Amino acid sequence: AAGAPKPLPSSGPKSLREMPHPLATSSSEEMGPALTPSPDLLLPRSIADKDLSLPNGTPVDNSSPASSSSLLNRLQLDDDLDVETRDLFVIVDDPKKHVCTMETYITYRVTTKTTRAEFDLPEYSVRRRYQDFDWLRNKLEESQPTHLIPPLPEKFVVKGVVDRFSEEFVETRRKALDKFLKRITDHPVLSFNEHFNVFLTAKDLNAYKKQGMALLSKMGESVKYVTGGYKLRSRPLEFAAIGDYLDTFSLKLGTIDRIAQRIIKEQLEYLVELREYGPVYSTWGGLEVELSEPLEGVSACIGNCCTALEELSEDMTEDFLPVLREYILYAESMKNVLKKRDQVQAEYEAKLEAVALKREDRPKVPTDVEKCQDRVECFNADLKADMERWQNNKRQDFRQLLMGMADKNIQYYEKVCVT
């Protein structure tokens, strides 16, 4: 049985064209458009250069199709830039330590407030541990294979951390888990997923876990068992451009992450030396009466430098590094969705070749080929819509992150330059 929980400190538009979803059409005669590259993504850098919308209402190009359900929800999301009109809010807070006979773990309070009809009550409060969040993400990947699932924080957010129950580690993880749920909440499709509903509302989540693997959607099954060794001829140019962009993005961000860690390490080493350096002047001042005032002044100045440098290092560790790592993981998640899309396209090409080899005069393409084409179109539409949404979030997050770090560095130099 779980022991008594011990509290830990915590922190308290634009219009869219009417465009039907690819699965909504019954016509099977137009099979080419699903694989036709968009001129917007002929080059990898065009993704980054593409004008995308931000929460301030800056216009965005909506040429990529979206699912019929996501079109309506996305319109709601665009209109919901005013917080007052949003209908689902989720907060992760109040971490608590549980000491049991077999293990010790941390749980977090997940509070939900909503006006959606899918929920029986307007407000819920449940406690979840890290493995529950991991269960949710796995279920979302199973049931929504065409969509980009936000990444969870790494098992150990900060490399080298030994005490995973320290206040700093727990708070860093709490922030990451809170952002994970908010990413899902803001998604026009994932936020309506039944597993997400269960995660937010069920008092005993283990009862749902014991039910075993839920039935995958038809799309999920098709993605899991496809290709049969068939190799994709080539990606359409726009998706090849996305793949190239993600590879470059991951490489550059990984380099920044390594350099930032090295800077923090050197700052902390310098801080140790600086803390030993300051008291020497104070001791010296006690021996030299005539020099005591200037020596004490030097000692106080070094003390101020120590405090300012410690704050700067903490800001980089707690605010800067987690965002870098989140987006490195985000890029890997997008690559996985891209691979799934390639598998479905490979299946489609294999079926087309099989039909061609039969050399039979058929009035129309077989039904299974039509369904496979629908899956390709659905993947294309959802992947492009999620890529656009991800780019919007990335621009906003990195603008806020870099401006914030610039301010922190300015504050640091102002503190150390005070005479």
Side-chain angles (χ1 to χ4, degrees), residues 178-195:
D178 182 72
K179 182 176 288 187
F180 169 73
L181 291 188
K182 282 181 169 57
R183 300 284 195 201
I184 299 173
T185 301
D186 290 340
H187 196 284
V189 176
L190 300 181
S191 63
F192 287 90
N193 185 276
E194 60 178 342
H195 300 299

Side-chain angles (χ1 to χ4, degrees), residues 131-146:
Q131 67 181 30
D132 297 330
F133 289 84
D134 190 47
W135 171 86
L136 170 63
R137 191 177 191 282
N138 290 334
K139 286 299 182 181
L140 291 176
E141 281 193 328
E142 291 174 6
S143 56
Q144 308 283 173
T146 66

Side-chain angles (χ1 to χ4, degrees), residues 90-93 106-111 126-141 149-153 173-182 184 195-196 199-200 205 209:
V90 179
I91 296 175
V92 178
D93 62 3
I106 303 294
T107 64
Y108 303 84
R109 180 174 62 189
V110 178
T111 304
V126 296
R127 299 204 69 85
R128 298 286 183 253
R129 55 189 297 186
Y130 181 88
Q131 67 181 30
D132 297 330
F133 289 84
D134 190 47
W135 171 86
L136 170 63
R137 191 177 191 282
N138 290 334
K139 286 299 182 181
L140 291 176
E141 281 193 328
I149 311 301
L152 273 174
R173 172 164 288 181
R174 183 203 65 78
K175 290 180 180 178
L177 294 175
D178 182 72
K179 182 176 288 187
F180 169 73
L181 291 188
K182 282 181 169 57
I184 299 173
H195 300 299
F196 186 47
F199 176 87
L200 297 178
L205 191 60
K209 292 181 179 180

Side-chain angles (χ1 to χ4, degrees), residues 225-285:
Y225 307 103
V226 293
T227 66
Y230 181 89
K231 297 295 183 181
L232 182 67
R233 294 174 186 169
S234 64
R235 278 177 177 166
L237 290 180
E238 57 185 327
F239 295 110
I242 291 177
D244 292 341
Y245 171 80
L246 292 173
D247 288 339
T248 302
F249 178 77
S250 299
L251 179 63
K252 299 300 183 183
L253 216 58
T255 301
I256 295 174
D257 179 55
R258 289 191 297 273
I259 294 174
Q261 290 187 60
R262 188 163 65 245
I263 290 174
I264 294 174
K265 180 176 180 293
E266 293 175 354
Q267 285 178 340
L268 294 178
E269 292 174 351
Y270 174 58
L271 184 60
V272 171
E273 300 290 340
L274 207 58
R275 283 172 174 165
E276 296 178 358
Y277 187 49
V280 173
Y281 286 93
S282 181
T283 303
W284 184 9

